[in-house]
Amino acid sequence: MAQPVEIPPDPTAAVQAAEAEVPPELIAQSFGEYVRAWAARLRGGDIGVLPVVVGLVAIMIVFEIISPNHVFLHADNLVNLFEQSAVFMVLAMAETFALILGEIDLSIGYLGACGAVIAVQLVQPVTTGWPWWAAIVAALLACAIAGAIQGTIITRLGIPSFIVTLAGYLIFNGVMLILLLLGPFSGYPNLASSDTNVQVLYNMMAGTIDPTISWIGMGVVVVGLGALMWFGDARRRRAGLVAPPPSLTLLKIGLIAIAGIVVVAICNINRANIGVLAGVPWVVPIVLAVLAAWTILLERTKYGRYVYAIGGNAEAARRAGINVALIVTIAFALCSMTAGIGVLLYASYIGGMSNNVQGGQLVLFAVAAAVIGGTSLFGGRGKAIHGVLGGLVIGGIYNGMYLQSLDVQRIFIVTGLVLLAAVSIDALSRRGKVSGLGLTRR
Amino acid sequence: MPPCNVRGGIFFLGSKMTKMAQVAEPLLKVRGVDKHFGAVQALYGVDLDLPAGKVTALCGDNGAGKSVFTKCISGVYQPDHGEVFWDGQPVHIHNTRDASRLGIETVYQDLALCDNLDIVQNMFLGRERLSRYLLDEDDMERAAAETLASLKVTTVRSIRQPVASLSGGQRQSVAISKAVMWNSKLVIMDEPTAALGVVQTRQVLDLMKRLRDRGLAVMVISHNLNDVFEVADRIAILYLGRMVIQDDASKFDRQRVVEYMTTGGKGMKAAAN
């Protein structure tokens, strides 16, 4: 046998190479080191959610200055802005499932619209008169099944999702028009009704929660989330696992608490010209519930881990024994189901459904919101929270330009440019990473 | 050990030899494996022994059937004929799951790591630990750290860094550690050093020796004779789908290996006659 020759490895070279590559905040131990690590990362081109936060602040400042009578930051406009954004947020969270996989779903606008029409039709007292919850369950189930069918075609026949969902875009546009014409509503089933069952759907968006209950609910959520984060990080620190320093955990909890207080305080300002309209609109807890559910699913469950794995390297996922086709099909079903929630919120916002719903525009705004928020178009990277942040940006631009009484064509152009900028940032950061990999692999 | 090879695809490392050397039954014993794809016969009656605690190098020129043979063991392909014995028991490996269940793990040439996931997530991919339906990140991180430490994979700065930020040698080390984590008894590596620099190759070779010292059977496919002679205890050579020779590495020199790889040993047979 050949004698193993003990050549000591050259530790300096290897360690130096490794040091240059590690995301610095992973090895930072104190708050100061974290800040420096973060700054280093920014310089290195990995920017995380910074552009979207900067963008949001810029949008707020610019539109507050140029909006007539500086109404942009008024409570009633901010609440309205959030309600408009909520549709984009939920649709962007839907699209996130497809984007993490490196796929795209162009059908969710009209597919979600089909679901919304089903719910709006089923609750009508003069026809079926289903209870609101049953109508919603039926609508979301229909969306999920339609999404699963598209996902099955994509995975089993190996057709690109772009093509399959482009076909779905047309098909569900037609289906939506057919569904609209059912019943005696001349294609305009609406939710403005004295029937309390119908009003539940009407109030999904703008119905308000009592201000006191709003405060209590916010407190429970912030304290609960804060306790989870604090004790979780403390446990990991004690066990010697990778964890941020206590100061950073406190900072995060503090930011969440401030955000919660600001939102509830703004919503509890009376925003009616006559009478009283105050309290958090129901859409806020609905969006937060979707955000919480999909964040837990994507980041804390096996299923979510597999979604990221497939988006990063589908072949590696397959070799690890993951049923790639099944995971992808479920992702498309979840994407479509979430889209159903999104367009249902839209129906609640406009008070019914009609053939004026622009499913194509909704999809593009959904993709734009997800990508602006930080989800990659190239797969493997993305979070539900990105959809929420990006949705706020899109909603802010939309709302602000509306306040300027700008034509819709200009709004399209500006939104398109913002999307282009977001995609460019995504592509550039990806190129940086790939060239880095190329270097280290050799 | 006495020389015990008879070339030409028939090769006994049978009971007599085993008793003589006081060596236990090899961990994996392959006998007479045939595999064809359509009209192309890729393997002809291949025999191979993979003893525990030894590194066996599988050599051969391009197209000799190394990859096909590896895939027959790891469950990717089904051999047409032939028998596989695991710890002396006949087994049928229908898929990679079966192979994993026996304790056979394969480290593929293209690594099969997900760049966007961190080291812990990659090491547990497909076998995540759960507590109350959610991922048990703490437990997985601890176990991954223990495995890396036991294999002395110490150059990674944080176990939570994404694999995209690792060097080639570190990636290979993670891929190998991942294979070792599952109480595997046989680790198959396909060209583990092909894309690595000098220092990184050293890391990986050291890692392979550590696996052997732990009593694992290691099979490594390599073109690089430097690596083969440095790390291999046994060498097996495939030539055009036939196993032409397998023996202790000390019985070979570089020229002999090249000769077997390129001619199947015809020249040497002529010389011996």
Side-chain angles (χ1 to χ4, degrees):
Chain A
M1 196 191 105
Q3 274 301 315
V5 189
E6 279 305 320
I7 302 170
D10 178 0
T12 51
V15 169
Q16 276 163 6
E19 251 175 273
E21 299 287 341
V22 183
E25 77 277 6
L26 280 178
I27 45 179
Q29 292 303 315
S30 72
F31 189 67
E33 279 179 51
Y34 253 84
V35 173
R36 278 194 294 280
W38 193 61
R41 221 169 120 135
L42 287 185
R43 282 196 300 275
D46 189 356
I47 37 194
V49 294
L50 186 75
V52 65
V53 173
V54 170
L56 268 178
V57 173
I59 286 168
M60 277 198 270
I61 294 171
V62 169
F63 282 123
E64 175 64 7
I65 292 170
I66 66 172
S67 60
N69 301 325
H70 306 293
V71 293
F72 187 78
L73 292 181
H74 279 200
D76 59 344
N77 189 57
L78 284 177
V79 173
N80 186 30
L81 188 162
F82 188 87
E83 289 172 5
Q84 290 170 327
S85 307
V87 176
F88 304 135
M89 292 176 184
V90 177
L91 286 175
M93 285 192 267
E95 194 67 62
T96 300
F97 280 101
L99 292 179
I100 294 174
L101 289 168
E103 309 276 354
I104 197 161
D105 191 336
L106 297 175
S107 70
I108 58 169
Y110 283 120
L111 200 163
C114 288
V117 175
I118 289 171
V120 173
Q121 288 276 21
L122 284 177
V123 293
Q124 297 298 329
V126 296
T127 52
T128 39
W130 284 30
W132 61 270
W133 54 268
I136 291 178
V137 168
L140 298 187
L141 204 60
C143 286
I145 291 169
I149 292 171
Q150 292 194 97
T152 306
I153 295 170
I154 290 163
T155 52
R156 305 290 168 183
L157 299 185
I159 306 172
S161 55
F162 182 85
I163 303 297
V164 173
T165 59
L166 190 61
Y169 170 98
L170 282 171
I171 292 167
F172 294 114
N173 191 352
V175 172
M176 180 195 80
L177 294 174
I178 292 170
L179 292 174
L180 276 170
L181 288 172
L182 297 174
F185 311 108
S186 324
Y188 294 91
N190 70 71
L191 294 169
S193 164
S194 57
D195 187 290
T196 47
N197 186 42
V198 179
Q199 278 174 358
V200 172
L201 291 192
Y202 189 75
N203 287 332
M204 267 175 72
M205 181 62 98
T208 51
I209 303 166
D210 179 79
T212 318
I213 296 176
S214 301
W215 280 118
I216 296 170
M218 188 276 293
V220 169
V221 169
V222 168
V223 170
L225 200 59
L228 273 181
M229 288 170 68
W230 177 255
F231 291 115
D233 281 353
R235 193 188 64 241
R236 291 179 59 81
R237 270 192 294 274
R238 270 201 309 280
L241 302 173
V242 176
S247 49
L248 194 77
T249 310
L250 275 180
L251 181 75
K252 282 184 189 165
I253 297 171
L255 287 176
I256 290 172
I258 290 169
I261 291 167
V262 168
V263 167
V264 174
I266 289 173
C267 291
N268 282 352
I269 296 172
N270 181 13
R271 48 185 186 273
N273 294 324
I274 308 156
V276 177
L277 176 61
V280 175
W282 273 105
V283 65
V284 173
I286 292 173
V287 168
L288 288 182
V290 175
L291 172 66
W294 290 166
T295 300
I296 291 170
L297 181 72
L298 284 173
E299 294 176 30
R300 293 275 174 269
T301 68
K302 255 186 184 188
Y303 175 78
R305 180 65 42 86
Y306 294 168
V307 170
Y308 284 107
I310 293 168
N313 185 345
E315 179 58 20
R318 199 184 59 74
R319 285 181 187 173
I322 296 169
N323 186 341
V324 174
L326 181 69
I327 301 284
V328 172
T329 305
I330 293 174
F332 274 95
L334 290 172
C335 169
S336 299
M337 195 190 86
T338 316
I341 301 172
V343 186
L344 200 54
L345 287 173
Y346 183 75
S348 176
Y349 185 73
I350 61 174
M353 284 300 280
S354 77
N355 57 12
N356 288 330
V357 174
Q358 296 296 317
Q361 194 185 321
L362 286 176
V363 166
L364 292 187
F365 280 165
V367 174
V371 174
I372 289 169
T375 296
S376 174
L377 268 180
F378 305 102
R381 185 157 51 84
K383 290 177 174 179
I385 186 74
H386 293 160
V388 171
L389 293 172
L392 264 183
V393 171
I394 297 275
I397 293 171
Y398 207 79
N399 177 291
M401 297 185 67
Y402 236 84
L403 291 180
Q404 302 294 311
S405 329
L406 278 180
D407 305 331
V408 72
Q409 51 267 44
R410 300 225 162 78
I411 296 179
F412 284 171
I413 291 171
V414 171
T415 316
L417 288 174
V418 173
L419 172 61
L420 202 56
V423 176
S424 306
I425 290 172
D426 181 25
L428 286 175
S429 75
R430 183 183 140 90
R431 200 166 64 185
K433 278 190 185 137
V434 168
S435 68
L437 267 186
L439 277 176
T440 51
R441 270 191 187 143
R442 269 323 305 168
Chain B
M1 274 193 207
C4 59
N5 59 79
V6 177
R7 62 153 305 279
I10 311 153
F11 168 76
F12 339 89
L13 189 91
S15 52
K16 184 176 146 211
M17 154 69 204
T18 312
K19 272 175 206 149
M20 278 168 64
Q22 293 294 308
V23 177
E25 184 81 1
L27 181 68
L28 186 83
K29 195 165 80 177
V30 179
R31 287 296 175 269
V33 162
D34 287 334
K35 179 71 189 172
H36 71 89
F37 298 95
V40 181
Q41 186 86 18
L43 298 174
Y44 299 87
V46 171
D47 297 348
L48 181 68
D49 289 353
L50 295 174
K54 302 256 186 209
V55 177
T56 306
L58 182 63
C59 300
D61 209 348
N62 289 341
K66 305 186 298 286
S67 293
V68 174
F69 179 69
T70 309
K71 286 175 177 168
C72 285
I73 299 177
S74 61
V76 178
Y77 294 152
Q78 299 291 301
D80 301 331
H81 300 287
E83 290 172 302
V84 178
F85 298 90
W86 180 258
D87 263 340
Q89 301 298 315
V91 289
H92 292 281
I93 303 171
H94 298 290
N95 50 45
T96 51
R97 288 258 164 193
D98 285 354
S100 299
R101 219 168 289 134
L102 289 175
I104 302 175
E105 290 290 332
T106 308
V107 180
Y108 294 97
Q109 193 168 2
D110 47 1
L111 299 176
L113 297 175
C114 293
D115 278 353
N116 57 331
L117 300 184
D118 67 33
I119 295 174
V120 180
Q121 292 170 343
N122 264 296
M123 288 180 71
F124 277 90
L125 189 60
R127 302 184 239 209
E128 287 79 4
R129 290 186 190 169
L130 301 179
S131 79
R132 281 174 294 161
Y133 303 107
L134 298 182
L135 295 170
D136 192 343
E137 294 287 350
D138 297 8
D139 193 35
M140 288 193 280
E141 186 172 328
R142 221 170 284 130
E146 275 168 22
T147 302
L148 289 178
S150 73
L151 293 171
K152 300 193 172 58
V153 177
T154 49
T155 58
V156 294
R157 285 298 301 276
S158 168
I159 196 165
R160 284 295 181 182
Q161 68 190 94
V163 163
S165 68
L166 298 179
S167 71
Q170 290 172 327
R171 293 167 65 93
Q172 190 64 259
S173 299
V174 169
I176 295 170
S177 308
K178 176 185 175 183
V180 175
M181 261 192 89
W182 308 106
N183 291 324
S184 49
K185 295 175 182 141
L186 166 62
V187 177
I188 301 169
M189 298 183 209
D190 190 356
E191 297 280 2
T193 57
L196 302 184
V198 177
V199 175
Q200 298 173 345
T201 299
R202 162 68 36 207
Q203 290 172 1
V204 171
L205 293 181
D206 287 346
L207 189 50
M208 286 161 66
K209 289 178 193 164
R210 272 180 226 121
L211 301 191
R212 172 191 65 198
D213 296 343
R214 281 181 160 203
L216 274 71
V218 178
M219 182 170 96
V220 55
I221 297 178
S222 187
H223 272 114
N224 185 330
L225 294 185
N226 287 334
D227 294 355
V228 167
F229 276 101
E230 150 124 33
V231 82
D233 304 305
R234 292 164 41 77
I235 293 176
I237 299 174
L238 276 171
Y239 175 71
L240 298 181
R242 291 188 163 86
M243 185 64 74
V244 289
I245 188 168
Q246 57 177 322
D247 205 344
D248 286 1
S250 55
K251 304 288 192 308
F252 291 91
D253 58 31
R254 211 166 279 254
Q255 197 191 341
R256 191 154 171 244
V257 170
V258 172
E259 186 83 34
Y260 274 112
M261 280 168 66
T262 51
T263 69
K266 289 187 186 78
M268 266 173 290
K269 188 182 166 197
N273 290 343

